[in-house]
Amino acid sequence: MQRNGEMALGLYLMQAGYHEGAWRDPSVPVNGGVDIDHYAHLAALAEGAAFHFVFIPDSPSVVEQDLASLARVSRNDTFEPITLLSALSSRTQYVGLVATATTTYHQPYHLARMFASLDHMSRGRAAWNIVTSGYKFEAHNFSEDGLVDHDMRYARAREFVEIVKGLWDSWETDAFIRDKNIGIYVDTTKLHLLNHRGHFFSVRGPLNVARPPQGYPVLVQAGASDAGIQFGAEIAEVVFTAEPSLENGQRYYATLKDKARGLDRSDDQVLIMPGIVPVIGKTKQEAVEKLKRLQSSTHIDVLFDTADRWLGSVTDLRAINLDSLVPDTLPRTNLIQSRQKVLLELAARQKLTWRELISSVSDSRGHLMVVGTPDEIADTMVDRFDQRAADGFNVLPVTVPGGFKDFVELVVPELRRRGKFRCRYSGKTLRENLGLKPPLNRFTKLP
């Protein structure tokens, strides 16, 4: 994708919408999380608008800390991402399919096989959102007493991804000749064993599925800690980040691109796509009222639990004066460090009280939220794009399908009018549509 051209757009798809109160909105299907037709409808909306991909987040645990909050959220009633996107691959033709999977609790061989299968099923539209688990609750589901240290999680992830890529290279692209006349199914001279022995893993290979149509599924990464930025510069082809400030977004963009160039990677092969939470109204007041309705549907227990989770339990929120200002400095945690940093910087920049910060976390989790008309939302997106704070955006609708339908019908035409978003797909694979080069097989590339 040429930087001076059109932005990339992805749909960040949660079953009810991104706002904590979304599931209570009358327009939102109450059982959407376990309704494949609901997801298929949303994927069709994205494909009809020529979105580059749909993005499915995930956490392999129930993350709420108390039953009062757990009783009032909808996120624990939904499909596992690779399973969901495998089903959607047969109901879509062009839109990319991004599944989140953690390197902290999976094994490399399993994920290499599953993503290769998804890439074949979708004819080259798969992508892997590589995450390192950041919630302590997940550890107890995988025979662990606690969360592994932050830097150690990234060290494991680095080795994990290199193994997966090596397994995808097990077979050369034309290894499976499948010739009935001569009775040869596969040319074994084009088979390569990985024979990896490292600090965390020992993996022989080969993978028991042909090389993915894209070579590798597109590699997506989210993380803005120092370790996360370095990891993204080394490995990611699409970077998902939370940057509500233009200045911080520009700084992050420049830092990550500079680190990638230092590793001999070109700017157009590392796409930075921050999240945007649009609340759309025909007038600004209408948009404000939409947000107020969602806020009124969000119980105080959910507000506390959500803020506690994303802020990393930096203080006992139920024991402090909520109308006091958030302090400039708070203790660093072993959890999601980059998001904690974004949220606390937001509080400092806007001089927020704890009450205001807690509400903001529920609304947007630190992502850029724009409440206004289609023109205002398009203005913000184009400004961030033109000022090199973004190569595109992950759109996080506050409700689905309604909030996303509004974006497709009202904001997308405005972006096209300004020459900032395409009208149709330019290729068949996700790599082609994002302008990403197919990787060479490490065992057969020329010196």
Side-chain angles (χ1 to χ4, degrees), residues 232-260:
E234 293 173 13
I235 291 169
E237 295 169 296
V238 174
V239 177
F240 176 41
T241 183
E243 292 294 342
S245 158
L246 172 60
E247 295 76 15
N248 286 349
Q250 289 173 311
R251 189 178 304 115
Y252 177 88
Y253 185 98
T255 298
L256 197 144
K257 296 274 185 173
D258 185 61
K259 286 183 178 292

mmCIF file of all heavy atoms in Angstrom, residues 232-260:
data_model
loop_
_atom_site.group_PDB
_atom_site.id
_atom_site.type_symbol
_atom_site.label_atom_id
_atom_site.label_comp_id
_atom_site.label_asym_id
_atom_site.label_seq_id
_atom_site.Cartn_x
_atom_site.Cartn_y
_atom_site.Cartn_z
ATOM 1 N N GLY A 232 6.973 -5.447 17.251
ATOM 2 C CA GLY A 232 6.237 -5.053 16.065
ATOM 3 C C GLY A 232 7.161 -4.658 14.923
ATOM 4 O O GLY A 232 6.914 -5.002 13.756
ATOM 5 N N ALA A 233 8.225 -3.919 15.232
ATOM 6 C CA ALA A 233 9.169 -3.495 14.193
ATOM 7 C C ALA A 233 9.846 -4.693 13.549
ATOM 8 O O ALA A 233 10.136 -4.687 12.353
ATOM 9 C CB ALA A 233 10.209 -2.561 14.794
ATOM 10 N N GLU A 234 10.087 -5.733 14.324
ATOM 11 C CA GLU A 234 10.758 -6.924 13.809
ATOM 12 C C GLU A 234 9.826 -7.805 12.985
ATOM 13 O O GLU A 234 10.228 -8.355 11.960
ATOM 14 C CB GLU A 234 11.309 -7.756 14.973
ATOM 15 C CG GLU A 234 12.438 -7.110 15.752
ATOM 16 C CD GLU A 234 12.791 -7.926 16.989
ATOM 17 O OE1 GLU A 234 12.328 -9.088 17.091
ATOM 18 O OE2 GLU A 234 13.512 -7.413 17.852
ATOM 19 N N ILE A 235 8.582 -7.955 13.433
ATOM 20 C CA ILE A 235 7.735 -9.037 12.943
ATOM 21 C C ILE A 235 6.456 -8.580 12.258
ATOM 22 O O ILE A 235 6.039 -9.159 11.250
ATOM 23 C CB ILE A 235 7.393 -9.979 14.125
ATOM 24 C CG1 ILE A 235 8.654 -10.729 14.562
ATOM 25 C CG2 ILE A 235 6.272 -10.937 13.781
ATOM 26 C CD1 ILE A 235 8.512 -11.475 15.862
ATOM 27 N N ALA A 236 5.798 -7.538 12.778
ATOM 28 C CA ALA A 236 4.439 -7.211 12.346
ATOM 29 C C ALA A 236 4.387 -6.617 10.946
ATOM 30 O O ALA A 236 5.277 -5.865 10.534
ATOM 31 C CB ALA A 236 3.803 -6.247 13.332
ATOM 32 N N GLU A 237 3.310 -6.935 10.251
ATOM 33 C CA GLU A 237 3.000 -6.308 8.964
ATOM 34 C C GLU A 237 1.845 -5.321 9.108
ATOM 35 O O GLU A 237 1.736 -4.375 8.342
ATOM 36 C CB GLU A 237 2.668 -7.389 7.936
ATOM 37 C CG GLU A 237 3.868 -8.277 7.643
ATOM 38 C CD GLU A 237 3.513 -9.501 6.836
ATOM 39 O OE1 GLU A 237 2.747 -10.349 7.351
ATOM 40 O OE2 GLU A 237 4.007 -9.620 5.709
ATOM 41 N N VAL A 238 0.998 -5.551 10.083
ATOM 42 C CA VAL A 238 -0.050 -4.607 10.476
ATOM 43 C C VAL A 238 0.049 -4.442 11.989
ATOM 44 O O VAL A 238 0.134 -5.442 12.722
ATOM 45 C CB VAL A 238 -1.453 -5.108 10.089
ATOM 46 C CG1 VAL A 238 -2.532 -4.179 10.637
ATOM 47 C CG2 VAL A 238 -1.588 -5.246 8.576
ATOM 48 N N VAL A 239 0.061 -3.212 12.455
ATOM 49 C CA VAL A 239 0.169 -2.927 13.888
ATOM 50 C C VAL A 239 -1.111 -2.239 14.345
ATOM 51 O O VAL A 239 -1.502 -1.205 13.800
ATOM 52 C CB VAL A 239 1.389 -2.043 14.198
ATOM 53 C CG1 VAL A 239 1.425 -1.700 15.682
ATOM 54 C CG2 VAL A 239 2.676 -2.749 13.779
ATOM 55 N N PHE A 240 -1.758 -2.827 15.338
ATOM 56 C CA PHE A 240 -2.982 -2.285 15.926
ATOM 57 C C PHE A 240 -2.597 -1.623 17.238
ATOM 58 O O PHE A 240 -1.991 -2.248 18.105
ATOM 59 C CB PHE A 240 -3.975 -3.427 16.149
ATOM 60 C CG PHE A 240 -5.251 -3.040 16.841
ATOM 61 C CD1 PHE A 240 -5.901 -1.859 16.536
ATOM 62 C CD2 PHE A 240 -5.816 -3.882 17.783
ATOM 63 C CE1 PHE A 240 -7.085 -1.509 17.178
ATOM 64 C CE2 PHE A 240 -7.006 -3.557 18.421
ATOM 65 C CZ PHE A 240 -7.635 -2.361 18.119
ATOM 66 N N THR A 241 -2.956 -0.351 17.385
ATOM 67 C CA THR A 241 -2.536 0.383 18.573
ATOM 68 C C THR A 241 -3.651 1.294 19.056
ATOM 69 O O THR A 241 -4.597 1.583 18.312
ATOM 70 C CB THR A 241 -1.266 1.213 18.265
ATOM 71 O OG1 THR A 241 -0.829 1.870 19.446
ATOM 72 C CG2 THR A 241 -1.529 2.247 17.183
ATOM 73 N N ALA A 242 -3.537 1.741 20.299
ATOM 74 C CA ALA A 242 -4.475 2.714 20.872
ATOM 75 C C ALA A 242 -3.723 4.026 21.059
ATOM 76 O O ALA A 242 -2.800 4.087 21.871
ATOM 77 C CB ALA A 242 -5.024 2.213 22.207
ATOM 78 N N GLU A 243 -4.105 5.055 20.320
ATOM 79 C CA GLU A 243 -3.428 6.352 20.389
ATOM 80 C C GLU A 243 -4.460 7.474 20.269
ATOM 81 O O GLU A 243 -4.756 7.944 19.170
ATOM 82 C CB GLU A 243 -2.374 6.479 19.283
ATOM 83 C CG GLU A 243 -1.181 5.546 19.435
ATOM 84 C CD GLU A 243 -0.324 5.862 20.654
ATOM 85 O OE1 GLU A 243 -0.440 6.973 21.193
ATOM 86 O OE2 GLU A 243 0.449 4.982 21.072
ATOM 87 N N PRO A 244 -5.056 7.923 21.386
ATOM 88 C CA PRO A 244 -6.080 8.966 21.297
ATOM 89 C C PRO A 244 -5.524 10.348 20.980
ATOM 90 O O PRO A 244 -6.253 11.218 20.512
ATOM 91 C CB PRO A 244 -6.723 8.944 22.691
ATOM 92 C CG PRO A 244 -5.651 8.400 23.584
ATOM 93 C CD PRO A 244 -4.882 7.418 22.747
ATOM 94 N N SER A 245 -4.231 10.575 21.217
ATOM 95 C CA SER A 245 -3.611 11.876 20.979
ATOM 96 C C SER A 245 -2.924 11.908 19.626
ATOM 97 O O SER A 245 -2.184 10.978 19.284
ATOM 98 C CB SER A 245 -2.592 12.165 22.085
ATOM 99 O OG SER A 245 -1.629 13.114 21.689
ATOM 100 N N LEU A 246 -3.148 12.952 18.846
ATOM 101 C CA LEU A 246 -2.470 13.102 17.562
ATOM 102 C C LEU A 246 -0.962 13.126 17.744
ATOM 103 O O LEU A 246 -0.218 12.439 17.033
ATOM 104 C CB LEU A 246 -2.934 14.380 16.855
ATOM 105 C CG LEU A 246 -2.162 14.764 15.576
ATOM 106 C CD1 LEU A 246 -2.267 13.676 14.530
ATOM 107 C CD2 LEU A 246 -2.669 16.103 15.032
ATOM 108 N N GLU A 247 -0.485 13.925 18.697
ATOM 109 C CA GLU A 247 0.953 14.056 18.900
ATOM 110 C C GLU A 247 1.579 12.723 19.299
ATOM 111 O O GLU A 247 2.632 12.334 18.769
ATOM 112 C CB GLU A 247 1.240 15.113 19.969
ATOM 113 C CG GLU A 247 0.838 16.526 19.586
ATOM 114 C CD GLU A 247 -0.673 16.765 19.671
ATOM 115 O OE1 GLU A 247 -1.387 15.932 20.302
ATOM 116 O OE2 GLU A 247 -1.137 17.769 19.109
ATOM 117 N N ASN A 248 0.957 12.007 20.218
ATOM 118 C CA ASN A 248 1.487 10.702 20.619
ATOM 119 C C ASN A 248 1.399 9.698 19.469
ATOM 120 O O ASN A 248 2.282 8.849 19.311
ATOM 121 C CB ASN A 248 0.736 10.170 21.834
ATOM 122 C CG ASN A 248 1.112 10.909 23.107
ATOM 123 O OD1 ASN A 248 2.068 11.679 23.138
ATOM 124 N ND2 ASN A 248 0.348 10.682 24.165
ATOM 125 N N GLY A 249 0.325 9.815 18.688
ATOM 126 C CA GLY A 249 0.187 8.942 17.527
ATOM 127 C C GLY A 249 1.293 9.177 16.506
ATOM 128 O O GLY A 249 1.845 8.228 15.938
ATOM 129 N N GLN A 250 1.615 10.436 16.269
ATOM 130 C CA GLN A 250 2.707 10.754 15.349
ATOM 131 C C GLN A 250 4.041 10.235 15.884
ATOM 132 O O GLN A 250 4.866 9.713 15.129
ATOM 133 C CB GLN A 250 2.793 12.269 15.148
ATOM 134 C CG GLN A 250 1.652 12.844 14.325
ATOM 135 C CD GLN A 250 1.689 14.362 14.295
ATOM 136 O OE1 GLN A 250 1.804 15.016 15.329
ATOM 137 N NE2 GLN A 250 1.584 14.930 13.102
ATOM 138 N N ARG A 251 4.245 10.378 17.196
ATOM 139 C CA ARG A 251 5.488 9.922 17.806
ATOM 140 C C ARG A 251 5.608 8.398 17.707
ATOM 141 O O ARG A 251 6.670 7.870 17.355
ATOM 142 C CB ARG A 251 5.528 10.375 19.265
ATOM 143 C CG ARG A 251 6.869 10.158 19.952
ATOM 144 C CD ARG A 251 6.849 10.682 21.385
ATOM 145 N NE ARG A 251 6.465 12.090 21.426
ATOM 146 C CZ ARG A 251 5.353 12.547 21.989
ATOM 147 N NH1 ARG A 251 4.501 11.708 22.565
ATOM 148 N NH2 ARG A 251 5.073 13.838 21.996
ATOM 149 N N TYR A 252 4.519 7.706 18.012
ATOM 150 C CA TYR A 252 4.514 6.243 17.916
ATOM 151 C C TYR A 252 4.766 5.802 16.480
ATOM 152 O O TYR A 252 5.580 4.900 16.217
ATOM 153 C CB TYR A 252 3.164 5.702 18.403
ATOM 154 C CG TYR A 252 3.007 4.212 18.286
ATOM 155 C CD1 TYR A 252 3.417 3.370 19.318
ATOM 156 C CD2 TYR A 252 2.454 3.645 17.148
ATOM 157 C CE1 TYR A 252 3.278 1.994 19.208
ATOM 158 C CE2 TYR A 252 2.313 2.275 17.026
ATOM 159 C CZ TYR A 252 2.725 1.452 18.055
ATOM 160 O OH TYR A 252 2.588 0.089 17.938
ATOM 161 N N TYR A 253 4.085 6.434 15.541
ATOM 162 C CA TYR A 253 4.218 6.107 14.123
ATOM 163 C C TYR A 253 5.672 6.262 13.681
ATOM 164 O O TYR A 253 6.256 5.370 13.050
ATOM 165 C CB TYR A 253 3.297 7.033 13.322
ATOM 166 C CG TYR A 253 3.217 6.761 11.838
ATOM 167 C CD1 TYR A 253 2.162 6.022 11.318
ATOM 168 C CD2 TYR A 253 4.160 7.273 10.955
ATOM 169 C CE1 TYR A 253 2.058 5.795 9.954
ATOM 170 C CE2 TYR A 253 4.068 7.042 9.587
ATOM 171 C CZ TYR A 253 3.017 6.311 9.100
ATOM 172 O OH TYR A 253 2.918 6.077 7.743
ATOM 173 N N ALA A 254 6.268 7.397 14.008
ATOM 174 C CA ALA A 254 7.647 7.667 13.595
ATOM 175 C C ALA A 254 8.618 6.695 14.256
ATOM 176 O O ALA A 254 9.558 6.200 13.608
ATOM 177 C CB ALA A 254 8.014 9.107 13.940
ATOM 178 N N THR A 255 8.399 6.398 15.537
ATOM 179 C CA THR A 255 9.297 5.501 16.256
ATOM 180 C C THR A 255 9.273 4.105 15.677
ATOM 181 O O THR A 255 10.319 3.487 15.419
ATOM 182 C CB THR A 255 8.913 5.446 17.752
ATOM 183 O OG1 THR A 255 9.058 6.746 18.321
ATOM 184 C CG2 THR A 255 9.790 4.463 18.505
ATOM 185 N N LEU A 256 8.064 3.572 15.447
ATOM 186 C CA LEU A 256 7.971 2.205 14.948
ATOM 187 C C LEU A 256 8.505 2.098 13.515
ATOM 188 O O LEU A 256 9.227 1.151 13.191
ATOM 189 C CB LEU A 256 6.525 1.716 15.027
ATOM 190 C CG LEU A 256 6.387 0.196 14.922
ATOM 191 C CD1 LEU A 256 5.259 -0.301 15.815
ATOM 192 C CD2 LEU A 256 6.151 -0.272 13.501
ATOM 193 N N LYS A 257 8.176 3.075 12.675
ATOM 194 C CA LYS A 257 8.679 3.031 11.294
ATOM 195 C C LYS A 257 10.203 3.133 11.279
ATOM 196 O O LYS A 257 10.882 2.455 10.487
ATOM 197 C CB LYS A 257 8.061 4.167 10.481
ATOM 198 C CG LYS A 257 6.550 4.089 10.310
ATOM 199 C CD LYS A 257 6.144 3.248 9.133
ATOM 200 C CE LYS A 257 4.626 3.304 8.938
ATOM 201 N NZ LYS A 257 4.167 2.645 7.716
ATOM 202 N N ASP A 258 10.752 3.976 12.140
ATOM 203 C CA ASP A 258 12.201 4.134 12.193
ATOM 204 C C ASP A 258 12.879 2.846 12.641
ATOM 205 O O ASP A 258 13.908 2.436 12.064
ATOM 206 C CB ASP A 258 12.557 5.280 13.146
ATOM 207 C CG ASP A 258 14.049 5.572 13.161
ATOM 208 O OD1 ASP A 258 14.591 5.923 12.100
ATOM 209 O OD2 ASP A 258 14.669 5.443 14.235
ATOM 210 N N LYS A 259 12.311 2.186 13.634
ATOM 211 C CA LYS A 259 12.876 0.915 14.086
ATOM 212 C C LYS A 259 12.781 -0.143 12.991
ATOM 213 O O LYS A 259 13.704 -0.950 12.804
ATOM 214 C CB LYS A 259 12.161 0.428 15.350
ATOM 215 C CG LYS A 259 12.539 1.202 16.611
ATOM 216 C CD LYS A 259 11.850 0.623 17.826
ATOM 217 C CE LYS A 259 12.253 1.345 19.107
ATOM 218 N NZ LYS A 259 13.679 1.094 19.445
ATOM 219 N N ALA A 260 11.660 -0.152 12.250
ATOM 220 C CA ALA A 260 11.506 -1.115 11.163
ATOM 221 C C ALA A 260 12.518 -0.856 10.048
ATOM 222 O O ALA A 260 13.116 -1.794 9.497
ATOM 223 C CB ALA A 260 10.078 -1.060 10.614
#
